[in-house]
Amino acid sequence: MEIVILVVVIAVVALAAISGLVVSGRKKKAARPEQPESATETTTAPPAEPHVGEDAEGRPEGERRTIEEVGLPDAEAPAAEAEAPAAPAEPEVETPEPSAGRLVRLRARLSRSQNSLGKGLLTLLSREHLDEDTWEEIEDTLLAADVGVAPTQELVERLRERVKVLGTRTPDELRALLREELLTLVGPDLDRTVHTETRGAVDRPGVVLVVGVNGTGKTTTTGKLARVLVADGKSVVLGAADTFRAAAADQLQTWGERVGARTVRGPEAGDPASVAFDAVKQGTEAGAEVVLIDTAGRLHTKTGLMDELGKVKRVVEKQGPVDEVLLVLDATTGQNGLVQARVFAEVVDITGIVLTKLDGTAKGGIVVAVQRELGVPVKLVGLGEGADDLAPFEPQAFVEALIDG
Ligand code: GDP
């Protein structure tokens, strides 16, 4: 009897334990879908197009880069992640990275896109017999990389002379020789300072006009440049004078807000010149150090462009001279970019070139070609869609990337 009672008790306890497990398992199952589903909604649904501050995969800027890319000390990264608030009420003002040395940091990206030029040239120069066909191939390689006809011929001539003098050619000698000659071609001594300081003792901000065809990355570059300047400790006001592209002013304002820079904007399809004028006026009143003006770049007719840009510049100059006119060119457009450059140079005095999307082309030779075309140095290069992917152009680092890519 006792045994029977014991068996019954054990059976009851076992049944209770099993049903408890099943119930709690159900509870867990029931609870589980809610959490991941809501996380998926907010973090993984990619937008149709990348927005400002997001990369191509739609991740927010802060989450996108590796520590090495961002250049943060190791210790800072986990802390930043751990402290990230779940839903900040106001977008926090960011602290952009310093601009010095960015080209070196972005060199891996640059050399990835450039390796066909440097590697190709070195391979050809290492051939045992440098006959006419090989020199022609060297010439073709340079032309294919958009170096331009005249600079290509100059370089080939110099290389021919120097290789002859060299006699035997070790890989190291060839590398050094090519580095030297490419550097000469790029122009190591050109003044590549972006002039953001007011010339003379005028009591107003430095004024930078950013011009270029729509789609080249003009607004993005203006936003990135604002970050560079803020990182360098300057106070910046932005002028959204691209009043023709509906989203341009919003886009610029978002860039500005991220670094605490005010954006002056006008009514949609309003007069770009009056927005530009107001931006300088408000910048002066606010005691800002630099005013960056994003302009419209509709190449519908040359006369239209000339009227519009010419007017913007004239109106701004009522308050003092413009200190820098940056022409934004898309490096992937090759010869088309050169044609655009020519048109803009006829309309305004370009003082510097920003070459965007250099991360997406193996045709780095455009740096040389466009400088020759306009007689104006490349001052900044865009190497990606990230907020801090705009770097001061450094000839040495650029040539290293061409050769070691
Ligand atoms: P805008 O019409 O000239 O003002 O052009 P936007 O500034 O709107 O830029 C057009 C597109 O080019 C955007 O998707 C940018 O993110 C992208 N872009 C700009 N600069 C770069 C760059 O250096 N590299 C890459 N890969 N994309 C860029």
Side-chain angles (χ1 to χ4, degrees):
M1 188 62 191
E2 277 176 17
I3 292 172
V4 172
I5 290 170
L6 195 64
V7 168
V8 169
V9 168
I10 289 172
V12 168
V13 169
L15 262 176
I18 288 165
S19 65
L21 273 179
V22 171
V23 169
S24 77
R26 278 210 192 113
K27 267 189 204 149
K28 271 183 202 153
K29 262 190 198 161
R32 207 176 280 157
E34 282 165 25
Q35 287 166 347
E37 257 172 29
S38 62
T40 310
E41 268 166 33
T42 50
T43 56
T44 57
E49 262 191 90
H51 296 107
V52 170
E54 292 177 347
D55 67 357
E57 289 145 89
R59 283 171 298 180
E61 170 67 13
E63 286 179 25
R64 183 157 40 84
R65 293 203 214 104
T66 61
I67 293 162
E68 299 89 280
E69 278 178 317
V70 177
L72 284 174
D74 283 352
E76 276 182 45
E81 258 176 39
E83 283 164 18
E90 288 272 315
E92 259 180 46
V93 173
E94 301 168 17
T95 309
E97 292 169 43
S99 60
R102 275 192 197 181
L103 194 56
V104 174
R105 182 173 60 76
L106 296 170
R107 197 169 121 193
R109 203 173 307 166
L110 183 62
S111 54
R112 246 199 327 272
S113 62
Q114 306 296 319
N115 57 15
S116 64
L117 178 58
K119 278 230 174 83
L121 288 177
L122 275 177
T123 310
L124 288 167
L125 286 169
S126 309
R127 281 191 188 164
E128 207 171 321
H129 298 292
L130 287 175
D131 53 17
E132 280 310 309
D133 284 350
T134 307
W135 284 113
E136 238 170 66
E137 277 183 67
I138 291 173
E139 212 170 290
D140 290 346
T141 306
L142 287 162
L143 290 173
D146 280 340
V147 172
V149 177
T152 294
Q153 283 167 354
E154 278 170 38
L155 181 64
V156 168
E157 217 165 279
R158 296 274 306 142
L159 287 174
R160 285 182 89 133
E161 261 173 42
R162 293 195 60 185
V163 165
K164 216 188 285 169
V165 174
L166 210 60
T168 54
R169 288 161 281 134
T170 68
D172 280 351
E173 279 170 333
L174 280 180
R175 191 174 280 262
L177 189 150
L178 193 60
R179 183 179 291 127
E180 222 173 275
E181 291 301 333
L182 282 173
L183 195 59
T184 307
L185 211 61
V186 170
D189 302 323
L190 298 175
D191 175 17
R192 297 180 196 271
T193 323
V194 178
H195 294 285
T196 56
E197 318 254 320
T198 322
R199 276 172 280 164
V202 192
D203 194 16
R204 65 169 187 89
V207 177
V208 180
L209 270 190
V210 185
V211 306
V213 171
N214 284 347
T216 52
K218 200 166 30 66
T219 304
T220 309
T221 298
T222 311
K224 287 176 178 174
L225 183 55
R227 293 177 70 90
V228 168
L229 295 170
V230 168
D232 291 346
K234 303 217 184 225
S235 53
V236 177
V237 165
L238 297 167
D242 181 356
T243 55
F244 290 91
R245 191 161 64 87
D250 290 341
Q251 201 182 326
L252 194 66
Q253 188 168 343
T254 307
W255 278 102
E257 278 167 0
R258 290 175 63 181
V259 288
R262 190 203 311 175
T263 301
V264 176
R265 45 192 295 181
E268 209 172 303
D271 179 17
S274 85
V275 175
F277 183 88
D278 280 350
V280 178
K281 189 162 168 279
Q282 290 191 33
T284 308
E285 285 164 4
E289 288 165 283
V290 189
V291 175
L292 298 180
I293 301 169
D294 182 25
T295 62
R298 301 168 308 147
L299 259 188
H300 52 315
T301 63
K302 202 165 102 183
T303 330
L305 177 80
M306 201 164 319
D307 288 352
E308 199 172 285
L309 261 189
K311 188 177 166 199
V312 167
K313 190 153 184 268
R314 269 198 317 280
V315 168
V316 165
E317 284 184 336
K318 286 185 181 168
Q319 298 171 82
V322 170
D323 301 285
E324 182 81 81
V325 181
L326 291 175
L327 172 66
V328 180
L329 285 181
D330 177 341
T332 64
T333 57
Q335 292 304 311
N336 257 344
L338 290 186
V339 174
Q340 290 168 16
R342 237 170 272 146
V343 172
F344 275 90
E346 281 177 39
V347 180
V348 275
D349 286 332
I350 311 287
T351 54
I353 298 158
V354 183
L355 215 47
T356 57
K357 310 184 194 180
L358 210 53
D359 53 307
T361 175
K363 299 187 169 199
I366 193 79
V367 169
V368 174
V370 73
Q371 288 186 159
R372 282 291 175 98
E373 184 69 40
L374 300 187
V376 167
V378 170
K379 294 189 169 177
L380 297 163
V381 286
L383 292 166
E385 295 195 89
D388 292 322
D389 291 341
L390 181 75
F393 182 73
E394 295 159 21
Q396 299 270 4
F398 179 70
V399 168
E400 299 283 329
L402 285 183
I403 293 188
D404 296 330

